Amino acid sequence: MSTLNYSERIPNNVELGSDRALQRALEHWQPKFLSWWKEMGPSDFQAADVYLRTATSVDAKGWATYGQLKMPDYRWGIFLADRTPDRRIGFGDAMGQPVWEQVPGEFRSTLRRLIVTQGDTEPASVEQQRLLGHTCPSLYDLRNLFQVNVEEGRHLWAMVYLLHAYFGRDGREEAEALLERHSGNRDNPRILNTFNEPVTDWLSFFMFTYFTDRDGKFQLKSLAESAFDPLSRTCRFMLTEEAHHMFVGDTGVGRVIKRTLEVMKELGTDDPAAIRKAGAIDLPTIQRYLNFWFSSSLDLFGAEISSNAATTFANGIKGRPDEINFEDHDCREAVFALETPGDDGAIRTEDVPMRSAMNQVVRKAYMRDCEIGLSRWNRMIDKAGHALRLTLPHERFNRTVGVWAGRHFDPAGKPLSAEQWATARAAWLPSEADSAFVKSLMKPVTEPGKMASWIAPPDRGINALAVDYEYVRLA
Ligand code: BYC
């Protein structure tokens, strides 16, 4: 297994040292990245010592080493998973042919578009979260936020490497533009909608890392199937880091619920006002945040019927996660029974070509994956003796992309008129009052081992350290 070369300015396992032109291009980009990090990355914590893991080799066991460091000193680098010998294209029209080491001319703009879209989400998420450090519920959580942030920064590096190494001048221009678009910016926003939503409280952060990072998992798995081998290898390595981000979301939401249940028990009530007064977040509010982040993340899979998806599948550019588990890797003849809105407003099912429905196939797999955490959270609620269950809203609910966009549905998927929706939406999505309440709880807790009132401590610390370890030494 490869060891990463840390002696160079840009740590890498792609033999950057022997490609002077590429090295120069990346060294030109590096200071721009660092200025972006200082300006748009975690605000005011650049001098703090943070207990971070850094990749030092790309095999399953050795890719993480831990130590205290200041974030600007983090060794952002370029790491690809090892080559699979004699790897073949696993789906589409060119199934069985050798994978590509270079970008075929006819697929250049499609591949560039996908890499840019993927790359754009990484710095976007860092920007979305840049103020969160000021209201951390504990040093343990603060460290996890920063770990997620530095790794998203590295994922940006991963995509920028591909743009520089394989797309010439327009790749370099795209790499610059990745630092110029900004989350929520009116004139130059991030490409995908969810990455323009503010993440200014920790409940949103945990929902984001549970639901939106999980979209990342599914998209990276789809791109890991790509016939363009450098993209596949890059995504395979990124997936090892992504797992921790979803862990942060899964355990974060779980700990919020645990604390709420404790408070409900102490008070002997499930009255939201009483729970809020005691400094915890009532379950209906948690459900509304969940509804928002789940429905927004569903949009990230693109339209249900997509000629882009059909083309990228046919050409071997983007597959389905774990393509090997499907029986039919060609899908030219296959159809997908897709629910769509009829002209009369009624919902009907129509057969659409499977290749055009690939976004929906992946979205469905994502929805099943999201259920796993919910079952765990619901078991906690059940054990505590409460009847309420958290649920994923229907895929039709609150969509702005695809066949359901511009229509209204309740969380069970029942069609509503615009008036009904306007009246009822505050019951299903976070209201301004919810947001004001959640924000009112966001007060920093920075004493080692101490937690904010609205979240339970984690079961264990990072890398076998105690929960009360000083994970961040504030400057
Ligand atoms: N917002 O045929 P369509 C992650 C655009 S998350 C705005 O429906 P297609 C992470 C689309 O771009 C994973 N625009 O969809 C998580 C297209 O525009 P153009 C990120 C949208 O192309 C947390 C047009 O609508 N990676 O890593 O089949 C923290 C028609 O497109 C949206 C990727 O997404 C939207 N929600 O699929 C950090 C993978 N949806 O090109 C990181 C790369 C669609 O006609 N991207 N549009 O101008 C892709 O595979 C595809 O671009 C999409 C869309 C799946 C996003």
Side-chain angles (χ1 to χ4, degrees):
M1 289 286 170
S2 348
T3 296
L4 310 181
N5 186 343
Y6 263 79
S7 56
E8 297 192 39
R9 261 177 75 180
I10 302 170
N12 70 89
N13 69 345
V14 293
E15 289 168 33
L16 201 53
S18 60
D19 186 342
R20 288 287 159 202
L22 176 60
Q23 194 175 6
R24 266 198 307 276
L26 285 165
E27 283 179 3
H28 183 70
W29 188 80
Q30 191 176 37
K32 296 184 183 177
F33 168 79
L34 282 171
S35 332
W36 167 83
W37 176 267
K38 286 183 186 148
E39 206 182 314
M40 302 303 289
S43 127
D44 287 334
F45 290 92
Q46 307 292 346
D49 287 308
V50 188
Y51 185 73
L52 291 174
R53 71 174 182 190
T54 308
T56 51
S57 86
V58 296
D59 61 15
K61 287 193 196 110
W63 64 272
T65 46
Y66 289 85
Q68 296 276 356
L69 64 139
K70 299 189 198 322
M71 284 184 280
D73 298 335
Y74 183 82
R75 302 287 273 146
W76 285 285
I78 298 158
F79 317 130
L80 273 59
D82 285 326
R83 222 180 235 108
T84 308
D86 192 34
R87 184 170 169 252
R88 304 267 156 172
I89 301 175
F91 60 93
D93 295 344
M95 165 104 189
Q97 291 178 18
V99 292
W100 318 318
E101 289 306 327
Q102 292 297 330
V103 177
E106 67 269 40
F107 304 141
R108 191 181 159 86
S109 68
T110 309
L111 266 165
R112 194 184 54 215
R113 183 180 68 87
L114 287 180
I115 292 168
V116 166
T117 308
Q118 176 65 48
D120 192 70
T121 63
E122 315 290 359
S125 68
V126 176
E127 292 170 355
Q128 283 173 295
Q129 297 160 15
R130 77 181 291 264
L131 296 176
L132 279 179
H134 295 286
T135 56
C136 63
S138 71
L139 287 183
Y140 165 90
D141 290 292
L142 186 61
R143 176 266 168 207
N144 281 347
L145 167 71
F146 293 156
Q147 182 72 55
V148 168
N149 289 163
V150 291
E151 284 174 356
E152 300 301 6
R154 207 200 64 70
H155 293 181
L156 169 62
W157 268 94
M159 293 300 122
V160 164
Y161 160 72
L162 293 174
L163 290 170
H164 275 192
Y166 297 96
F167 294 88
R169 189 182 167 161
D170 40 342
R172 289 196 293 279
E173 284 168 8
E174 292 284 12
E176 307 248 320
L178 286 170
L179 298 175
E180 285 158 10
R181 283 185 291 274
H182 294 312
S183 176
N185 188 297
R186 260 184 46 190
D187 302 323
N188 200 7
R190 292 297 176 181
I191 297 171
L192 300 174
N193 300 337
T194 312
F195 294 89
N196 289 309
E197 300 287 354
V199 179
T200 45
D201 65 77
W202 282 76
L203 182 58
S204 298
F205 172 66
F206 292 135
M207 292 292 174
F208 180 94
T209 39
Y210 187 81
F211 289 111
T212 311
D213 275 278
R214 196 170 304 273
D215 168 54
K217 167 182 162 183
F218 279 77
Q219 297 298 338
L220 291 173
K221 272 173 156 289
S222 300
L223 296 174
E225 301 290 334
S226 181
F228 179 41
D229 204 43
L231 174 62
S232 163
R233 291 171 57 210
T234 303
C235 291
R236 272 186 273 148
F237 184 64
M238 287 161 77
L239 278 161
T240 56
E241 291 168 324
E242 205 64 51
H244 174 70
H245 307 185
M246 286 176 293
F247 163 87
V248 168
D250 188 0
T251 53
V253 176
R255 288 162 54 214
V256 176
I257 295 170
K258 186 172 176 197
R259 180 66 196 136
T260 303
L261 294 170
E262 285 167 5
V263 169
M264 287 163 79
K265 191 170 171 198
E266 279 160 27
L267 300 179
T269 178
D270 58 4
D271 173 27
I275 294 161
R276 285 181 173 206
K277 215 166 151 221
I281 307 176
D282 52 290
L283 297 177
T285 300
I286 295 172
Q287 176 72 61
R288 286 192 287 277
Y289 274 69
L290 184 161
N291 289 348
F292 174 77
W293 284 104
F294 176 67
S295 56
S296 181
S297 302
L298 286 184
D299 279 343
L300 293 172
F301 291 83
E304 283 76 3
I305 306 172
S306 163
S307 57
N308 287 344
T311 311
T312 52
F313 185 86
N315 294 336
I317 291 172
K318 186 179 173 190
R320 291 164 291 187
D322 305 309
E323 185 62 49
I324 192 118
N325 294 341
F326 290 85
E327 265 174 34
D328 177 5
H329 301 294
D330 179 89
C331 297
R332 224 173 312 202
E333 305 299 328
V335 290
F336 184 92
L338 183 75
E339 283 194 340
T340 53
D343 293 337
D344 55 357
I347 292 156
R348 58 201 175 120
T349 304
E350 62 174 303
D351 281 345
V352 298
M354 181 65 85
R355 285 182 170 190
S356 304
M358 284 306 172
N359 289 343
Q360 184 63 3
V361 171
V362 183
R363 184 169 17 241
K364 288 277 187 200
Y366 165 83
M367 288 164 67
R368 285 193 294 276
D369 205 50
C370 287
E371 288 284 2
I372 297 170
L374 261 93
S375 318
R376 216 176 2 252
W377 303 333
N378 280 330
R379 271 200 299 280
M380 285 165 51
I381 300 173
D382 185 35
K383 262 190 163 165
H386 300 283
L388 186 147
R389 293 291 172 268
L390 296 170
T391 52
L392 294 178
H394 197 280
E395 64 180 287
R396 295 197 275 270
F397 174 78
N398 195 38
R399 293 288 302 283
T400 63
V401 170
V403 289
W404 309 111
R407 296 168 189 267
H408 304 295
F409 300 91
D410 73 7
K414 192 171 137 255
L416 299 176
S417 68
E419 295 73 41
Q420 285 170 319
W421 168 254
T423 325
R425 62 169 288 164
W428 301 322
L429 290 169
S431 63
E432 276 180 28
D434 289 335
S435 164
F437 165 68
V438 171
K439 288 210 177 92
S440 75
L441 294 179
M442 300 295 128
K443 307 252 164 58
V445 176
T446 53
E447 201 182 315
K450 289 266 152 37
M451 300 286 141
S453 66
W454 52 272
I455 190 163
D459 289 340
R460 59 189 68 84
I462 299 294
N463 193 30
L465 290 176
V467 171
D468 63 1
Y469 178 76
E470 194 176 2
Y471 287 102
V472 182
R473 295 196 190 124
L474 299 167

